[in-house]
Amino acid sequence: MTAELEAVHDAELVAAETSALPAVVDINATLTPEAAEDLANSGRENTRQTYEDRWKAFARWCAPLGRMPGPPTSEENLTSYISHLRRRDLQPGVLRLSVAAIRHMNARAGYEQHPDQAAALKIYQDHRHAWQKAGRGQNSSAPVDLQRLRLMLAACPAETPAGKRDRVLLLLGYYMRARASELSQLRVGDLEFVSSELLVATKRVSKNDKTDVGREYEIDDPACLAAVKDWLVHLAENGQTGRGLPLLRAVDRWGNLGSVSPQGWGVTRQAVNNLVKSIAERAEVDVAADITAHGLRAGVPTDLGAAGYSAAEIKEITGDWSSTEQVEKYRKVGLRRAGKRTDDGRRSAALSMLRVQGRDADNPAAP
């Protein structure tokens, strides 16, 4: 064997021996099992569950096709899955959520900004445009303003356990501008009567509360205070007034309270949403088919809009929205339900004076 061949042979032997040795890992660059578990379980519970559900749907689509969901997920698999959802004609929001969920699960596994979403988002945007063009835009919950709230309260008999609970659900949902998940997480200890005429209700966690400091709501509506007191008396009669116990509870057909789930829930957010929808249907609210629990959150800004408050004023008064965009939508709904124009100032005055028939019809520009 020549010297050159011997050198090559020796190099190959060294490479083979080296590859068989365990890789040297810097322990300072690794996570402890506890930290890895905490990171995998990080994020708000509702968001995490939603992402996990969308990820499982993606994995189920991959399996029969012989595709690997990852992570890491390939750009081609992401794009193909979004195309599949589009051809099922699902709501555009489902496509956008699926993209976010798949990228979130990749990031959680250490693959930041992976997979590339540009192609998938093009398909989503085309689908969203087609839906909008066809007049099928994204559905939004109809607001439960005071007029609709009164109808729904009338459909909740105050003498039954379920009716007592439902009245509390509706009234706190309206006055706390609460989401379904926030209502389901309320505890008995989150309510404090500081006087016979004032209730302080605390929202411990919220989607918009990034620092988890909570938010207090001062409620002085007599109907709300009476409903809460009545429900707390019923809970006390059943030995269920511990401060850490859930405020809202399942109630069976015989009026018995349901048990508390291992997660500490009395009712889930899905149950809250179903209750609100069923109450709206019983009350024969004009837009019952479009009402969800989120309509309770929209009630106050809708009523304030009808009363003439601007979006900026509503945002400041409520303190529940970080931008005025969504508040402006509620303001417009409120004004239109009151039969008023949504544009203001000189624009409204100028356009309102233009009449085909009626006063000043022959001289629309007259002051």
Side-chain angles (χ1 to χ4, degrees):
M1 182 179 294
T2 65
E4 292 82 358
L5 289 176
E6 288 180 355
V8 171
H9 179 69
D10 291 343
E12 289 175 345
L13 287 176
V14 170
E17 292 172 356
T18 302
S19 64
L21 293 174
V24 178
V25 178
D26 182 0
I27 193 173
N28 299 297
T30 64
L31 293 173
T32 64
E34 294 84 357
E37 180 181 358
D38 285 345
L39 187 60
N41 294 326
S42 64
R44 300 295 173 91
E45 183 176 2
N46 292 332
T47 302
R48 187 171 69 245
Q49 185 61 57
T50 300
Y51 280 175
E52 288 177 354
D53 290 344
R54 293 312 313 163
W55 173 261
K56 290 176 182 176
F58 169 58
R60 287 194 298 269
W61 173 82
C62 286
L65 300 175
R67 293 176 177 267
M68 299 298 293
T73 303
S74 70
E75 176 187 353
E76 291 76 11
N77 277 348
L78 171 64
T79 305
S80 298
Y81 179 60
I82 299 305
S83 175
H84 161 74
L85 295 181
R86 178 189 182 182
R87 291 170 189 276
R88 287 181 57 196
D89 201 30
L90 298 181
Q91 287 193 10
V94 175
L95 277 66
R96 187 67 185 90
L97 179 61
S98 297
V99 173
I102 292 169
R103 282 170 60 85
H104 168 80
M105 298 302 279
N106 275 266
R108 202 171 76 172
Y111 299 96
E112 296 288 342
Q113 304 302 316
H114 192 89
D116 189 290
Q117 63 181 347
L121 289 182
K122 286 182 181 179
I123 294 174
Y124 153 70
Q125 290 161 357
D126 287 346
H127 187 51
R128 182 186 62 188
H129 176 75
W131 265 58
Q132 192 68 24
K133 186 177 179 181
R136 301 170 65 192
Q138 196 79 354
N139 294 332
S140 57
S141 177
V144 179
D145 56 14
L146 280 173
Q147 181 181 358
R148 291 168 177 158
L149 180 63
R150 293 184 183 111
L151 290 174
M152 293 171 69
L153 288 170
C156 302
E159 66 275 7
T160 68
K164 296 175 190 292
R165 179 218 41 212
D166 291 346
R167 293 176 68 83
V168 170
L169 185 158
L170 294 174
L171 287 160
L172 289 183
Y174 176 86
Y175 284 112
M176 295 179 72
R177 279 83 75 187
R179 300 176 177 85
S181 59
E182 294 163 354
L183 287 169
S184 70
Q185 293 170 14
L186 284 175
R187 299 288 182 263
V188 173
D190 293 336
L191 304 181
E192 179 186 1
F193 283 91
V194 296
S195 74
S196 60
E197 299 179 346
L198 182 62
L199 168 68
V200 177
T202 301
K203 191 186 291 182
R204 299 291 176 185
V205 292
S206 172
K207 182 178 179 180
N208 292 341
D209 182 9
K210 304 303 181 183
T211 58
D212 292 321
V213 297
R215 172 81 193 282
E216 293 181 340
Y217 295 80
E218 295 182 341
I219 304 172
D220 56 7
D221 174 64
C224 184
L225 271 60
V228 170
K229 289 177 181 177
D230 201 20
W231 177 240
L232 289 177
V233 167
H234 182 73
L235 290 179
E237 291 171 351
N238 288 269
Q240 297 293 306
T241 52
R243 290 183 58 82
L245 290 174
L247 176 70
L248 300 176
R249 304 290 291 274
V251 178
D252 65 20
R253 68 178 69 180
W254 299 282
N256 300 313
L257 295 180
S259 59
V260 179
S261 74
Q263 295 83 8
W265 297 337
V267 290
T268 64
R269 59 171 177 158
Q270 292 86 352
V272 169
N273 192 56
N274 291 337
L275 284 170
V276 173
K277 290 179 71 68
S278 65
I279 295 169
E281 291 170 0
R282 288 203 312 269
E284 298 182 350
V285 174
D286 57 337
V287 288
D290 297 325
I291 285 182
T292 68
H294 201 79
L296 294 171
R297 176 171 169 78
V300 166
T302 300
D303 283 321
L304 291 177
Y309 289 92
S310 69
E313 289 172 327
I314 296 172
K315 177 176 173 290
E316 180 184 2
I317 291 169
T318 62
D320 288 296
W321 285 269
S322 57
S323 70
T324 58
E325 182 179 358
Q326 187 60 49
V327 179
E328 176 64 10
K329 293 179 182 179
Y330 296 144
R331 183 190 77 88
K332 288 183 176 181
V333 170
L335 283 170
R336 287 168 180 164
R337 274 181 58 72
K340 302 174 183 178
R341 294 184 67 107
T342 62
D343 46 13
D344 17 347
R346 289 175 55 82
R347 175 187 296 178
S348 176
L351 294 174
S352 291
M353 73 182 182
L354 304 179
R355 297 284 188 271
V356 173
Q357 293 180 335
R359 186 180 61 185
D360 296 330
D362 295 328
N363 186 18

